[in-house]
Every structure is written in C-alpha cells, then in structure tokens.
Amino acid sequence: MKESVQVFKNDSYNDWKIYPRSVVTSPDGEQVAYVVHKDNKTRVIMNDHAGPAYAGILAGTPVFSYDSKHLAYSAKKTNNSWVMVLDGKEGRAYDVISSPIFSTDSRHSAYIVKNQNRFCIVLDGKEGPYFAGISKTSIPSFSPDNKHFIYVALDENNRMHLVVDQKIISSAELIAFPSYSPDARQLVYVQKIKDKYFLVINNKPSQGPGYESINYLAYSPDSKYVIYLATKNAKSYLVKDGVEYGPYDNVGVPVIISPDSKRVVYVAKKKNEYLLIENGVVIQKSLSPFQNIMLSRNSKRFVYSYKMKDKHIIVVDNKRSKEYDGITPPAMSLDSKHVVYKARKGNKHMFVFDGIEGPLFDEIGEAILSNDSRHYAYAAKDNNLWKVVVDGKSGPAFPFVIHPMFSPDSSHIAYMALDSDVKGKYVFVVDHKKGKETFDGFLEMTPIVFDSPSSFKTIAITRGPCFALVKMEIR
C-alpha cells in the first residue's frame, strides 16, 4: 500500500472553532468545507481557502454540487441582510435566503428568497415572479433531465399556482405533488376543483367526479403510467392508469413498482386484516402489517416480512424463513441472485445470506455487497472489539471500525479502524492489513471513494486539528 496525505492548513484560523455539524465533503471525496466562528464572526473554509467573514452562515450550508465543482452557502451580513455565495461570489442581498438546490448535472442552482414579505425563486441568478409565499409541502425541484424547474406558490388569497421555468402554468384552490415522469416528458400533479381532487397530467385533469383526497403519487420507471392513492366515500383506493383497486380501509405507502414496471405491490388494510397485494390480487393476509417489501433489480424476486405473535418472519420468493426476534430491511445483490438481511436472536445479531445463518455477534452494522455480487461484508462487535466480516470470515479485531467498502472490481475490501497498537489513532485497513499512516480521526458521514480498482481516497482528520485528503494505492 502507498499512502499520500495532503494536509489542508489554515494556520490563520487555528483559534476559530468549527461547527461540527457544518462539515461536508464533496461527492468526489477530494474536498471538505465547514463553518468556523470567533467573536461573533463566521466564515466558510474549503480545503485550505477561507472565505470572507460574515455575521452568520445558514444551518445546512455549505452545499457541494453533484459534480463537486461548485460550493454554495447562505451568509448573513452585518446589516442583517442575506446573500447567496456561489463559488466565492456574492449574489444580491435579501431579507431571507434559503439553502441552495443544485441540478443533478450541476449546471443550475436555485434558492428561495424573501424581500419585504414577498417571496420568489432565484434560478441561475435570475429572479422569478414574486408571491405571497412558496409552498412548504411541494419542494421546488428540477426535472429528471434538468431542463425544467417546478414549484408551487401562493398568492394573497392563498390560491396556489404551479410555476414551471418561472412561468405560471396552472392555478387552483390547491395544487400538490408536482413531479415529472422519469423520462421528463410528462408533468403530473394534484389539483383541487370545487372540493374535489383530480390528477392532472400535462395540464389535462383526469375524467370522472374526482375524489375526496389524493395523497400519494408515483410514476412507473418506464414512464408509461402513474399510480396514486385516493379516497372516495371514506374508503381508500389505489388508482393505476384510471383503474381503481379497492375499496380498502387504508393503503400504506410507499407503493412498490418493479424496475420493469410490470409489478405493483402494496399493503392495504380491510377490517382487521392486512393484505399484501400484487397487481390488484391478494397474495398474503396477516393480522400485523407487512414490512420490508422489496422487488429485485431483474423484477423477478419478491421479498417481504411480517410479524406473527412476537416473532418476525421474512419471505423470499414464497419461502418462509425461521422465526427471529427481529429483522431489518434486506439487501439484494446487483445480479438479483442473493438476499441478505440482519436478524436478531435474543440479544445477539447475525446476517442471514441466502437463508444461511452467519455467526452471532453483540452488534453488527449494515451489510454491503460487492459489484460482482459474489461477496458481502459488514462490521461486527464482539467482546467490545470490532472486526470486518467478509463472506462469513472475520478479519482482525480493533477498538472500532468504520465504512467497509469493496473496490469496483470486487477484489479488495477497505475500511478505517481505530488502531489497536497506537492509542487514539486511526488507520486505513486494506484486505485486513493496516496502513502505516495514522490519523486523529475520520468523518462519520464520509465514506471511502474508489476512483479505480486499486486506488481510493477520503478526508481524514490530522493533528491541529486539520483536515487532509488521503489517497491510497493498493499494490
């Protein structure tokens, strides 16, 4: 193993305190940004560059773009006005500014502003129309192809307006759940007209008398149909392409749609029974709710769990597991051939891989599966020591381990560990072998990022404290 460490030094601000919850790393794993404060002043530091001092930085910022090339944060000036700082440049000042939103292609940004009790969206630095308010229940968002931006606004009479690309395209007493189909060709939302709720697709309301409520929308992955949950005569229905399934006393969310869009699975309650339903047909009944419903990537395999008396049972392709004291949501390999889940027996925990029970531990983390679908791994605690278990075999014991990760070609396992030989220091571990460099810590929410089958990187904490970009080559 060859390790390289690039320390981001900010000696001029060593006496400034870090807001721990402000620390964020870029998606590519190479940059870190955070907020520091001293004497009623705050500033954002990215790597080894410090931004200007402000009276405050909005919680939840700074924010990196998806491609890691842009950084934005909302800053409060000494005159109590707020500005958006994007790539180090201040925008116009406002009374209030929200946190920024980036498009997934990182080419666009947007945020909500308030000026003189009026609200608008600033999209790519340009103001849209002002309104009395922006709906809090319909989050502003970009379309899947990043070509459009949608939100719901309110006027002084609380009438709602659907705004697309800064232009009002529809107005009603209520507008909710606006979203685009996965192919971005259809815009769907719910509209209230004369006390009835209608589904609207590309500005065309659905036919019929409408419903008492509509409270859930989901598009099929192939964009060919939309499903929603509706209420009529105090009964619940699942509606798919205008066809009602029901009535039920209640329908749970989320509704699961298979990747090939051919299977729709949901849970409904009727009288005292819970019904597991696929494409409108009841396939299982239970006195307790069904949970952990999952369809495989190839859309052929079906997993769910339920509780019977005090025991939990998981069903994989109609085959019941043993009874356990607890079960967590399962994971499935990319090739859809393997199912792994965490199960509890008394105070002990284990993973069950394709129906075969692994060893029992005092505590275990989440399972990860390799890209080639041939391996699985997890962190496990036993006798106050942690180890990473790969394919049922335990690695060396450490006081603590974090972020096990397979390489893209599935040939290596890497993770960080609290060194058992040097007190208070952390090391990288690759294929259960320790690296030579030691660190003061790692960021809990920042995993290892592989950029090739034999190299990875992450942000670590070094003496100072300072942040450092650490790169590892596996030899």
Side-chain angles (χ1 to χ4, degrees), residues 239-366:
V239 185
K240 175 189 173 185
D241 249 1
V243 178
E244 294 178 350
Y245 295 89
Y248 310 108
D249 295 335
N250 192 24
V251 179
V253 295
V255 175
I256 308 299
I257 305 176
S258 61
D260 66 2
S261 302
K262 294 179 180 180
R263 306 173 75 178
V264 177
V265 179
Y266 58 99
V267 177
K269 188 177 183 182
K270 208 167 187 179
K271 295 183 179 178
N272 294 322
E273 283 189 317
Y274 291 91
L275 312 175
L276 184 61
I277 301 168
E278 180 179 346
N279 294 339
V281 178
V282 177
I283 59 175
Q284 181 68 281
K285 298 179 180 180
S286 174
L287 295 176
S288 61
F290 294 94
Q291 298 175 321
N292 302 323
I293 300 170
M294 175 182 288
L295 293 167
S296 61
R297 289 173 180 262
N298 66 5
S299 302
K300 295 179 179 180
R301 306 195 70 186
F302 186 18
V303 180
Y304 63 92
S305 69
Y306 63 97
K307 189 176 181 182
M308 188 169 64
K309 294 183 179 179
D310 293 328
K311 298 296 182 180
H312 295 260
I313 297 167
I314 195 162
V315 180
V316 180
D317 300 333
N318 294 321
K319 295 181 180 179
R320 295 172 74 253
S321 70
K322 294 180 181 179
E323 296 180 356
Y324 296 103
D325 295 316
I327 289 174
T328 60
M332 200 170 289
S333 60
L334 295 179
D335 65 2
S336 302
K337 292 181 179 180
H338 306 291
V339 177
V340 59
Y341 57 90
K342 189 189 304 185
R344 179 171 59 86
K345 283 185 176 181
N347 293 323
K348 294 287 187 176
H349 304 264
M350 64 182 171
F351 273 104
V352 182
F353 185 81
D354 291 342
I356 300 174
E357 296 179 346
L360 289 166
F361 294 98
D362 296 333
E363 190 177 342
I364 51 179
E366 298 302 318

Side-chain angles (χ1 to χ4, degrees), residues 208-264:
Y211 293 96
E212 295 162 8
S213 69
I214 297 176
N215 56 25
Y216 177 85
L217 291 180
Y219 248 107
S220 61
D222 64 4
S223 300
K224 291 184 178 179
Y225 63 84
V226 62
I227 60 171
Y228 56 98
L229 304 183
T231 304
K232 181 174 65 174
N233 299 324
K235 291 292 183 179
S236 296
Y237 295 82
L238 181 139
V239 185
K240 175 189 173 185
D241 249 1
V243 178
E244 294 178 350
Y245 295 89
Y248 310 108
D249 295 335
N250 192 24
V251 179
V253 295
V255 175
I256 308 299
I257 305 176
S258 61
D260 66 2
S261 302
K262 294 179 180 180
R263 306 173 75 178
V264 177

Side-chain angles (χ1 to χ4, degrees), residues 14 240 421 433 461:
N14 284 343
K240 175 189 173 185
D421 299 322
K433 297 179 180 179
I461 302 171

